Amino acid sequence: MKPVPEFADDAWLAAIIDSSEDAIISKTTEGIVTSWNRSAERVFGYSAGEMLGKPLLVLFPPERVGEEERILERIRTGLRVEHFETERVRKDGHRILVSVTVSPIRNAAGQIVGASKIARDITENRRLQASLRLLNAELEQRVMDRTRELEFANREMEAFATAVSHDLRAPLRALSGFTQALQEDFGDHLPADASTFVQQIATAGQRMETLINGLLDLSRNTRGRLERAPLALAALAQTSWRTVARATGGDLPACEVNCPWPMDGDPRMVGIIFDNLLSNAVKYAGDLPPRVRIYQSRDDSQRVWLHVHNQGLGFDAHQAQEMFKPFTRVHALDEGRRDLPGLGLGLGLGLATVKRIVERHGGKIEATGVPGLSAELRFHLGTGAPLS
């Protein structure tokens, strides 16, 4: 190991002091400046020639002059003044905030002959901290405002759901009831055209009831608390598939499920996702058997995606985003859709509901299709705490 070089003079120490980023100043026990480094010139605006031999009080604002005597009294007793924050005045008259530490200087005999002061300009740092506090306060206020808006929107949604559930269903029940009574009591006496009109009224009433139920489902699935738990994906998928099979009144091929990787989500909500996706797979199978395959994949970030693939009518790429909008259907009722009354009338709310549920989990849903052959929807359920 090479020995550390020894210096016979103070040149090395002087070079270190002069290159420091902090203002380093020495003064006598009476406060007269005896050294002034380059950073002191930069921080306070005075050159060494202007300050050497002058009292350091020139840097003190009038209301802080008393600080100097208290500092010097402490130094004279051999005590160090730990860093504190205060104000000083530059040559140009501007006040700056500085962090200051003052230590006593002793001679070879141990006598206190002066003080060494290290000062750092913290004006910009404090300005940035103040700006950050202001930005945080503004952000908190925005969050509070946004929370109030969301709470108001939720109350409005609850009021809407209540109105739909009670105020609209009452006249609808009366309409459906009287229509049924008209058919049962006077159906044989009605002219053919009148009988057709009555049947159309009954069908419209059924469609209205389905619409109300769909809107209520959509409303409920965007409100309320969402709980995360480990999902039994195969069981949820098979339960939904059996429900679809019962609704169709016919036999369906087995639903292939291959989901080896765990996923967390709200089991009830994910069950609704399967209900909608699997019923759509059967509705829009066209002339092909409604074969469905459910499987998983991982992307580059190791996020697990769940795929629901079915053969059937499919869709064009430009329809992929439109299909998630409420009341939007890719295929018309007479365009290959199966006549399956038990699966609803196809009001275009199913995929909108699925998208809302996925997004409430912090996830994302995507759709791909091949016209006349197949459709596939894939989604992930995000990670961490659920979105409320």
Side-chain angles (χ1 to χ4, degrees):
M1 178 181 296
K2 292 183 179 180
V4 178
E6 295 183 0
F7 293 86
D9 54 34
D10 295 330
W12 180 250
L13 180 60
I16 294 175
I17 292 174
D18 207 39
S19 63
S20 172
E21 288 295 317
D22 294 328
I24 300 179
I25 305 164
S26 63
K27 58 185 178 180
T28 67
T29 54
E30 287 73 36
I32 303 301
V33 176
T34 56
S35 71
W36 187 265
N37 73 344
R38 290 183 182 178
S39 286
E41 294 183 353
R42 175 180 55 81
V43 171
F44 297 110
Y46 292 96
S47 68
E50 292 174 301
M51 287 302 298
L52 292 176
K54 303 293 194 305
L56 197 62
L57 278 174
V58 70
L59 303 180
F60 285 64
E63 71 276 11
R64 293 185 180 270
V65 169
E67 284 182 6
E68 176 70 336
E69 185 55 35
R70 290 192 293 273
I71 292 171
L72 292 175
E73 285 179 0
R74 191 172 178 86
I75 292 299
R76 293 184 192 114
T77 62
L79 297 176
R80 172 185 170 92
V81 179
E82 297 295 341
H83 79 273
F84 67 99
E85 295 178 6
T86 185
E87 274 191 332
R88 295 293 180 260
V89 181
R90 285 174 46 86
K91 181 181 178 179
D92 58 13
H94 286 93
R95 293 193 178 203
I96 60 173
L97 292 172
V98 290
S99 175
V100 178
T101 300
V102 187
S103 304
I105 299 175
R106 300 176 186 270
N107 61 16
Q111 298 173 324
I112 298 171
V113 294
S116 172
K117 172 181 178 178
I118 299 176
R120 175 171 296 178
D121 185 354
I122 59 172
T123 308
E124 182 64 14
N125 180 268
R126 290 294 178 266
R127 187 191 68 79
L128 292 175
Q129 289 181 358
S131 297
L132 183 59
R133 286 194 296 270
L134 179 60
L135 289 174
N136 285 337
E138 291 178 352
L139 180 59
E140 289 177 4
Q141 185 61 47
R142 290 181 184 179
V143 170
M144 292 172 61
D145 292 343
R146 181 58 175 159
T147 300
R148 283 194 292 268
E149 291 174 3
L150 289 174
E151 290 173 350
F152 176 77
N154 284 336
R155 288 195 298 270
E156 290 290 299
M157 184 66 76
E158 290 173 2
F160 166 76
T162 300
V164 169
S165 181
H166 297 92
D167 299 342
L168 293 184
R169 274 181 167 166
L172 180 61
R173 282 194 295 267
L175 175 65
S176 299
F178 283 119
T179 301
Q180 184 177 355
L182 184 61
Q183 289 175 314
E184 292 175 353
D185 297 343
F186 302 101
D188 295 338
H189 306 290
L190 292 174
D193 288 347
S195 180
T196 300
F197 295 155
V198 171
Q199 181 58 46
Q200 290 176 343
I201 293 172
T203 300
Q206 293 172 1
R207 186 172 179 81
M208 176 63 77
E209 183 176 6
T210 302
L211 176 60
I212 290 173
N213 290 335
L215 288 172
L216 288 174
D217 286 341
L218 188 61
S219 172
R220 282 192 293 266
N221 293 330
T222 56
R223 295 183 293 115
R225 188 168 180 79
L226 185 149
E227 300 288 348
R228 278 191 182 271
L231 296 171
L233 292 170
L236 287 171
Q238 295 297 354
T239 298
S240 290
W241 190 244
R242 286 193 294 269
T243 301
V244 171
R246 285 195 299 270
T248 63
D251 294 330
L252 293 177
C255 175
E256 180 185 341
V257 181
N258 181 22
C259 298
W261 294 312
M263 293 180 73
D264 290 343
D266 187 299
R268 182 182 67 85
M269 294 287 190
V270 175
I272 294 172
I273 291 177
F274 280 131
D275 289 345
N276 281 286
L277 296 186
L278 296 182
S279 64
N280 276 354
V282 175
K283 284 180 188 178
Y284 300 107
D287 296 329
L288 299 172
R291 296 179 55 186
V292 177
R293 183 166 65 97
I294 300 174
Y295 66 98
Q296 291 174 310
S297 68
R298 287 185 184 271
D299 58 22
D300 293 340
S301 62
Q302 296 303 300
R303 179 184 288 114
V304 178
W305 290 75
L306 191 67
H307 301 248
V308 178
H309 178 93
N310 66 278
Q311 64 179 19
L313 299 179
F315 51 84
D316 292 323
H318 72 274
Q319 297 173 306
Q321 292 303 316
E322 295 296 317
M323 64 196 302
F324 294 109
K325 295 179 180 179
F327 307 110
T328 300
R329 287 181 289 113
V330 173
H331 302 286
L333 294 182
D334 58 352
E335 191 184 343
R337 178 186 174 277
R338 286 171 171 257
D339 184 15
L340 301 171
L343 297 182
L345 298 175
L347 297 172
L349 290 173
L351 290 182
T353 299
V354 168
K355 186 173 186 289
R356 297 283 180 89
I357 293 174
V358 169
E359 290 177 347
R360 284 205 62 199
H361 280 79
K364 182 180 181 181
I365 187 167
E366 299 174 345
T368 57
V370 179
L373 289 179
S374 65
E376 180 170 299
L377 286 91
R378 73 166 194 160
F379 61 91
H380 68 77
L381 298 176
T383 57
L387 303 178
S388 57

